[in-house]
Amino acid sequence: MKNLFTIGEMGGLFRTNIRTLRYYDDIGLLKPEVVDPKTGYRYYSARQFERMNTIKYLRNLNMPLDKIKAFFENRDTLVMEQILEEQLQETRAQLARLQAIERKLTTRLEQLDYAMHAQLDQIHARHLPARPAAVLKKEIRQGENLEYPIRELERTSQLPPAMFLGKVGVSIRRENLLAGQFDRFSAIFVLIEEEDNYKGETAWLPEGDFLTIWYAGTHQDSAIYYKKLLAHMDTLGLECCGDSVEITWIDSGFMDDTEKYVTELQLPVRAKAPPIFNPSFQKT
């Protein structure tokens, strides 16, 4: 039986890149049995096959090289049990992170698909659940760049920037809506998802009945659609009972063409209260 194997033969036997074997040598994980002092050629022995098998096995478990090296320096069943347990816990944590990413991707794709196929310029009645959000109460003039208020919201609420794509909204006070003043927002918010692992203060967009409308355009185009919603609710015997919710679902995070942005307006509504009978107005 052959006693020594070149680095190329070793790589071929274990389907391992030669550069990887050289790196293992450099870090002291798997040093050749013999190095020719004249040529510098590396030679491995058959008795190193077991060590290489163990390295391959642990690497297939995504074990970091420093832990593998620590095992060989303190080779023992208890040490192996410990590093396998640690790797199991890390793998479970990675799996949980990947599952969270999967849910976020699924949600974003559903929102994007819904926005791309939404019936534009049509009013719909919807009952919406309470929605968690991080909110910054701040007057923002329409037409003002929202990036600075977003960064302010990010700082004050300790939000990671990765949360913001497709989830930022603004709001107009009920009083301003009823007065026909659509040129300023009273708050900016970002919707919170369970996968965001958000630890800051949470506000809630209230549950209730809403009239909603989707349109092509940005926040700057919203005034005409607010007027449509307010007029329509009047014909239905409804009244606005809270602040608006305004979200551009397809915005600059997805494309540059502002004419293809898609924005949704949501106005909370309730039935108008019947007039109160006042005896002082009774005819005599």
Side-chain angles (χ1 to χ4, degrees), residues 4-284:
L4 294 177
F5 301 84
T6 67
I7 191 171
E9 291 172 327
M10 188 71 165
L13 286 169
F14 288 93
R15 299 179 183 179
T16 301
N17 192 287
I18 291 175
R19 289 192 300 273
T20 300
L21 290 172
R22 289 189 179 123
Y23 182 66
Y24 288 172
D25 182 10
D26 291 341
I27 65 173
L29 180 60
L30 179 66
K31 301 194 76 66
E33 185 78 20
V34 177
V35 177
D36 189 313
K38 295 181 180 179
T39 63
Y41 290 168
R42 297 171 172 88
Y43 296 93
Y44 298 82
S45 68
R47 63 193 182 94
Q48 292 180 291
F49 288 2
E50 181 185 355
R51 186 179 180 107
M52 186 62 187
N53 271 326
T54 303
I55 293 171
K56 291 276 290 185
Y57 172 76
L58 294 176
R59 287 300 291 152
N60 284 334
L61 296 178
N62 206 29
M63 187 79 69
L65 291 176
D66 58 342
K67 286 191 176 182
I68 299 175
K69 187 179 178 183
F71 164 69
F72 283 120
E73 291 171 353
N74 303 275
R75 197 164 182 170
D76 183 84
T77 53
L78 292 177
V79 175
M80 175 62 83
E81 181 181 36
Q82 179 183 345
I83 66 171
L84 288 177
E85 180 63 32
E86 289 173 353
Q87 190 62 17
L88 176 60
Q89 296 305 319
E90 176 59 27
T91 300
R92 286 173 174 166
Q94 289 178 359
L95 181 59
R97 289 193 291 269
L98 288 173
Q99 289 172 334
I101 292 171
E102 179 187 28
R103 291 193 294 270
K104 289 170 75 71
L105 286 169
T106 300
T107 299
R108 201 65 65 247
L109 282 169
E110 289 173 350
Q111 291 173 344
L112 184 58
D113 182 70
Y114 188 55
M116 290 173 64
H117 297 92
Q119 295 178 315
L120 302 181
D121 301 339
Q122 295 188 25
I123 297 174
H124 296 276
R126 300 172 62 193
H127 185 87
L128 297 174
R131 290 160 287 175
V135 178
L136 174 67
K137 297 287 188 180
K138 179 183 179 70
E139 183 170 293
I140 305 168
R141 303 289 295 186
Q142 194 174 76
E144 182 180 336
N145 192 316
L146 293 180
E147 285 304 315
Y148 182 78
I150 288 174
R151 299 285 77 79
E152 189 175 352
L153 173 61
E154 179 185 321
R155 290 194 305 273
T156 57
S157 301
Q158 299 180 333
L159 292 165
M163 287 179 56
F164 285 83
L165 186 62
K167 299 195 297 181
V168 175
V170 289
S171 182
I172 298 178
R173 286 192 187 92
R174 175 178 179 270
E175 294 78 7
N176 290 349
L177 292 169
L178 298 181
Q181 298 173 347
F182 313 115
D183 60 343
R184 70 195 71 180
F185 305 116
S186 58
I188 185 168
F189 62 86
V190 58
L191 298 174
I192 303 297
E193 297 171 347
E194 181 180 353
E195 294 76 25
D196 293 327
N197 197 28
Y198 173 60
K199 303 299 184 184
E201 184 177 352
T202 301
W204 289 83
L205 306 185
E207 177 184 4
D209 297 323
F210 290 78
L211 288 185
T212 69
I213 190 169
W214 296 69
Y215 65 88
T218 67
H219 299 295
Q220 297 184 46
D221 306 308
S222 64
I224 186 174
Y225 299 99
Y226 277 123
K227 292 176 183 177
K228 285 185 178 181
L229 287 174
L230 291 167
H232 189 72
M233 72 175 63
D234 193 51
T235 64
L236 297 176
L238 302 172
E239 64 180 0
C240 180
C241 61
D243 299 346
S244 69
V245 174
E246 183 175 336
I247 302 174
T248 300
W249 293 106
I250 298 180
D251 58 13
S252 58
F254 296 96
M255 62 173 58
D256 295 325
D257 189 352
T258 57
E259 293 183 359
K260 294 182 179 179
Y261 288 6
V262 177
T263 300
E264 181 185 15
L265 305 184
Q266 303 171 357
L267 288 186
V269 295
R270 66 188 174 199
K272 287 184 178 179
I276 299 174
F277 177 69
N278 189 335
S280 65
F281 288 95
Q282 203 172 14
K283 291 184 178 180
T284 58

